[in-house]
Amino acid sequence: MLSNRQTAALKAFGKIESYKNDLNMLGSTLGGLSLWMPASALKKQCDEAIRMINDIAERFDRKLVVTIVGPCGAGKSTLLNALVGVDDLSPAGHQRPTTGHVIVFSSDPQDADQLVTGLGSESVEVKSGSAAATLEHVLIIDTPDTDSMAYQKHSPLVREAIARSDMLICVFDSENPKRKDHVDFLAPFIRRFNGESLVSVINKCDRQDEAELKDRILPDFSAYIQAAWQTTVDRMLCISARRHLQDPQFDETAAPKHDFDQFEDLRELIFDSINRAGYVVDRRLENARSLRDFVFVEASREISGHRTSLIEAERQMREAQKKSFLDAVSAMKKDDSRQLFGAGLMMYQKLSQRWIGPVGWMIAIWARLLIFGAGIAALFRFGRPVSQIMGMISAWRHFKESKAAVADTSNDERVGAGLRTYRLTAMSSWPDIAESLVGGGFDSTVRRVEDALPDTGTFSDKLAGIWSNALDSEMERMAGKLSGMLLQLVLNLPMFAVLGYTGWITVQRFLQGSYLAGNFFLHALWTIGIILLLSFFLFQILVRLVASPERVTIKAFEKMKRQADQLDAFTTNPVLVQLEMVIELETMLTALNIDE
């Protein structure tokens, strides 16, 4: 059976994987934002955070690493010596830098193997003492100065030590706590730690007047450091590390001025509060979450800083896209001289499929005649006569292909006019859009006017498709309106009546043995023909009034214009795609935080 510690560790591993998945999702999105300049740096932060979280997962069963960092002369080494009760554990004194290695305090050298491997054996010294036995779950390390003369040598070592830490103790000198170089050095790392994992210590506080320390120095420094780090430091302690050495060796001129000292609070925090197995798991899980949140906050901050320009750029692009499309539709509408005849033919083809009875037969015959007429008309257009004659014969022979044969005669020119107009309108509006994009963090290369234009071939196909769909759907609607059962019954009824009457008389006389004369059938045929023609003529008038080619095409264009707000269905601008990804990124980050 799993112990409580093992169960907690398994749950924590699951949480850590979810944090990594969140960062991988963010990194994948950022990787697709090649034009948004902050994306590259944020992607690197994602990768680094994932690496650090992997490091946390690898040392889940290792001791908690508490790292002491501070500038030259702040008293880091003295603090470590005082905590572990060994005055000379870590070198301390007036010579700078006093600490040139990372000093690891541990009862078992094997506990520091991971640090030795990561930082290099030549850079790490493992030391022990009587207090080490009580630190079952904690390693304390002292780091080189962040601002000494050996800064360039020590800085990478300090950075790597911080990256492998679970808790930071940031030490400042009370005589000059607002050391900007030290504060700035730590700023990139601080937001990765929070709560009890970040402790700010003001050392040598006994050298200051107690009232001044409490009333002015401490509040002033607290406000300064939290503003500089842009985060809340929950735990800030005033201590005198030298006072707690075995042999403080105070200079006569530097004796303590008061007894206000929070050293025991710091010692209790390290040796009691965090020196627990359960705390190790919780703290590392919290640090992994802090790493994820750190990257999320950085990404949100970048987007927030550019939000106004990004939103304005999206608005401008949407409006320009809509205007370009409407102008393109207007250009296509003007170029409709050759479309009307084809539209009429297509309408009768759809009607012939819906109508039954004698009028339905007439509609089908009329559709065939119109196909033939389209072929004859083609002979009088400019082009290759032989191809036109073959096209006419093909249209006559292949009824189902006639719609495409007629529609294609003007599609290319119509779509071409629309495409040209779309490009001109889009190009005219792009300079203002590009400036908003650059203000939103996009690369200056977006100023190239080519970025305003969609792919010519793809856009032409999609524009032709939406025009064809709009025309076809409008014809289907009109055809359905003109093919109601009541209308079919009204127009077919006279012919059915004459046919029924003629048939009844013929059968009656036949049964009586009295045969009708031929003139009867001739007159009946003429009557049926006249009624049929009149019915079909009335139907044509109705079609002309309700579904004329002009009316159908106008309605189709109106339908296209109504689709101007849904341009994503057929236009793809890579700049707009990335712009929307940036804007939606903040929503994604917020959602991930809410889920947490």
Side-chain angles (χ1 to χ4, degrees):
M1 181 179 292
L2 293 176
S3 66
N4 291 336
R5 181 177 178 181
Q6 289 173 320
T7 302
L10 286 175
K11 290 181 179 179
F13 274 120
K15 280 286 188 182
I16 281 181
E17 283 302 313
S18 72
Y19 298 151
K20 287 169 59 179
N21 289 339
D22 292 344
L23 288 169
N24 280 320
M25 187 184 304
L26 176 59
S28 177
T29 301
L30 292 169
L33 299 175
S34 58
L35 295 174
W36 193 52
M37 297 183 67
S40 178
L42 291 172
K43 178 66 166 61
K44 290 179 180 178
Q45 287 185 342
C46 268
D47 295 340
E48 178 64 14
I50 291 172
R51 186 192 71 78
M52 294 177 70
I53 290 177
N54 283 331
D55 182 62
I56 289 174
E58 288 176 3
R59 52 190 171 88
F60 231 71
D61 58 342
R62 305 294 184 99
K63 290 184 177 182
L64 200 73
V65 178
V66 178
T67 300
I68 302 173
V69 293
C72 181
K76 304 184 304 300
S77 300
T78 302
L79 174 58
L80 175 60
N81 294 341
L83 285 170
V84 302
V86 182
D87 285 5
D88 59 351
L89 180 78
S90 183
H94 298 288
Q95 185 177 358
R96 305 296 181 222
T98 53
T99 304
H101 297 77
V102 171
I103 308 297
V104 181
F105 182 71
S106 174
S107 60
D108 186 350
Q110 291 184 349
D111 290 337
D113 284 350
Q114 193 174 33
L115 290 171
V116 173
T117 302
L119 302 177
S121 58
E122 71 284 356
S123 301
V124 179
E125 292 184 50
V126 181
K127 297 187 177 183
S128 185
S130 58
T134 62
L135 291 174
E136 293 184 62
H137 306 289
V138 176
L139 294 177
I140 305 176
I141 68 176
D142 182 21
T143 58
D145 300 330
T146 60
D147 62 344
S148 69
M149 292 181 294
Y151 169 77
Q152 291 185 347
K153 176 183 177 182
H154 292 164
S155 178
L157 189 61
V158 176
R159 292 176 186 274
E160 189 64 26
I162 293 174
R164 296 176 179 275
S165 301
D166 302 298
M167 179 176 174
L168 284 185
I169 298 177
C170 304
V171 183
F172 301 88
D173 189 338
S174 65
E175 294 180 328
N176 182 21
K178 295 194 289 188
R179 290 282 300 274
K180 189 175 186 303
D181 52 356
H182 178 52
V183 171
D184 290 347
F185 176 86
L186 291 176
F189 310 102
I190 291 303
R191 287 190 292 274
R192 302 174 186 176
F193 300 87
N194 66 354
E196 290 185 348
S197 66
L198 177 62
V199 180
S200 179
V201 170
I202 300 179
N203 193 23
K204 307 177 186 178
C205 65
D206 55 354
R207 296 184 185 181
Q208 308 298 320
D209 180 77
E210 183 175 1
E212 184 180 14
L213 177 69
K214 293 180 178 179
D215 299 337
R216 189 178 64 83
I217 296 177
L218 186 58
D220 182 57
F221 177 65
S222 178
Y224 167 78
I225 198 172
Q226 297 192 68
W229 287 347
Q230 297 182 355
T231 188
T232 300
V233 181
D234 294 333
R235 191 180 294 269
M236 186 171 292
L237 303 174
C238 293
I239 68 168
S240 175
R242 178 173 291 276
R243 169 181 268 166
H244 299 278
L245 293 176
Q246 301 297 321
D247 183 10
Q249 298 182 356
F250 280 118
D251 189 281
E252 293 182 1
T253 61
K257 295 182 178 181
H258 55 81
D259 294 328
F260 177 63
D261 186 355
Q262 295 174 301
F263 177 83
E264 290 302 326
D265 293 339
L266 178 61
R267 181 177 174 83
E268 182 182 355
L269 173 67
I270 296 173
F271 282 81
D272 295 327
S273 298
I274 70 174
N275 190 27
R276 295 179 288 107
Y279 184 89
V280 173
V281 173
D282 293 342
R283 177 46 47 196
R284 285 187 171 143
L285 181 60
E286 181 65 19
N287 285 347
R289 187 186 67 80
S290 295
L291 283 168
R292 184 205 66 168
D293 292 348
F294 168 74
V295 179
F296 279 14
V297 168
E298 288 294 299
S300 296
R301 182 179 289 115
E302 284 288 351
I303 298 172
S304 296
H306 296 100
R307 181 185 291 114
T308 301
S309 296
L310 292 170
I311 296 298
E312 176 63 15
E314 184 188 36
R315 183 192 65 79
Q316 289 175 318
M317 290 190 75
R318 289 293 184 191
E319 289 184 356
Q321 193 177 56
K322 182 176 180 179
K323 185 177 185 303
S324 299
F325 177 73
L326 292 175
D327 287 352
V329 173
S330 298
M332 293 173 65
K333 186 176 180 181
K334 292 177 182 178
D335 186 29
D336 62 356
S337 57
R338 296 186 180 181
Q339 185 70 24
L340 299 180
F341 186 84
L345 169 58
M346 291 164 61
M347 176 58 68
Y348 275 100
Q349 288 180 354
K350 291 184 179 297
L351 289 170
S352 67
Q353 297 171 4
R354 294 170 178 265
W355 273 75
I356 58 175
V359 175
W361 305 334
M362 287 295 296
I363 294 172
I365 294 171
W366 185 248
R368 289 288 185 176
L369 291 175
L370 288 177
I371 295 172
F372 182 75
I376 294 297
L379 295 175
F380 298 98
R381 297 176 187 160
F382 293 104
R384 298 179 181 178
V386 174
S387 299
Q388 291 170 344
I389 292 173
M390 294 303 296
M392 177 193 71
I393 296 173
S394 176
W396 177 258
R397 294 176 57 188
H398 302 287
F399 175 78
K400 293 182 179 179
E401 299 175 4
S402 59
K403 170 184 171 181
V406 176
D408 286 344
T409 61
S410 61
N411 235 5
D412 291 341
E413 292 186 15
R414 183 184 297 277
V415 173
L419 177 61
R420 288 191 297 273
T421 302
Y422 186 96
R423 290 170 63 90
L424 289 172
T425 305
M427 289 168 63
S428 66
S429 60
W430 190 251
D432 291 338
I433 296 173
E435 292 308 311
S436 295
L437 287 168
V438 172
F442 275 73
D443 192 275
S444 59
T445 56
V446 297
R447 291 190 174 101
R448 296 177 305 188
V449 74
E450 291 83 1
D451 291 325
L453 307 175
D455 177 73
T456 300
T458 303
F459 183 79
S460 296
D461 292 341
K462 291 183 177 179
L463 188 60
I466 195 170
W467 159 243
S468 177
N469 290 337
L471 183 62
D472 188 68
S473 64
E474 185 58 29
M475 286 188 173
E476 286 286 350
R477 188 182 71 83
M478 292 291 192
K481 191 175 181 180
L482 290 169
S483 302
M485 290 305 299
L486 181 61
L487 182 61
Q488 293 197 39
L489 181 62
V490 169
L491 292 182
N492 279 313
L493 188 59
M495 282 162 290
F496 283 129
V498 174
L499 285 171
Y501 177 74
T502 303
W504 179 74
I505 293 178
T506 302
V507 172
Q508 183 185 45
R509 292 296 184 91
F510 176 78
L511 294 175
Q512 293 176 354
S514 175
Y515 300 109
L516 297 171
N519 286 335
F520 173 82
F521 292 103
L522 180 61
H523 284 85
L525 184 60
W526 276 106
T527 301
I528 292 171
I530 292 170
I531 294 175
L532 180 59
L533 290 174
L534 286 173
S535 297
F536 183 64
F537 178 71
L538 291 174
F539 178 74
Q540 284 185 308
I541 293 175
L542 188 60
V543 171
R544 187 65 184 175
L545 291 174
V546 176
S548 65
E550 296 88 349
R551 186 182 183 88
V552 171
T553 53
I554 289 173
K555 291 289 186 181
F557 281 121
E558 289 177 354
K559 185 170 185 177
M560 287 184 71
K561 289 182 177 180
R562 288 195 296 271
Q563 295 177 335
D565 293 326
Q566 299 153 355
L567 298 179
D568 289 343
F570 58 94
T571 59
T572 302
N573 187 315
V575 179
L576 178 59
V577 170
Q578 292 197 31
L579 175 60
E580 290 178 330
M581 287 174 64
V582 174
I583 293 173
E584 292 171 0
L585 190 58
E586 192 171 27
T587 304
M588 183 190 80
L589 295 174
T590 302
L592 288 173
N593 276 324
I594 290 174
D595 292 342
E596 174 63 21

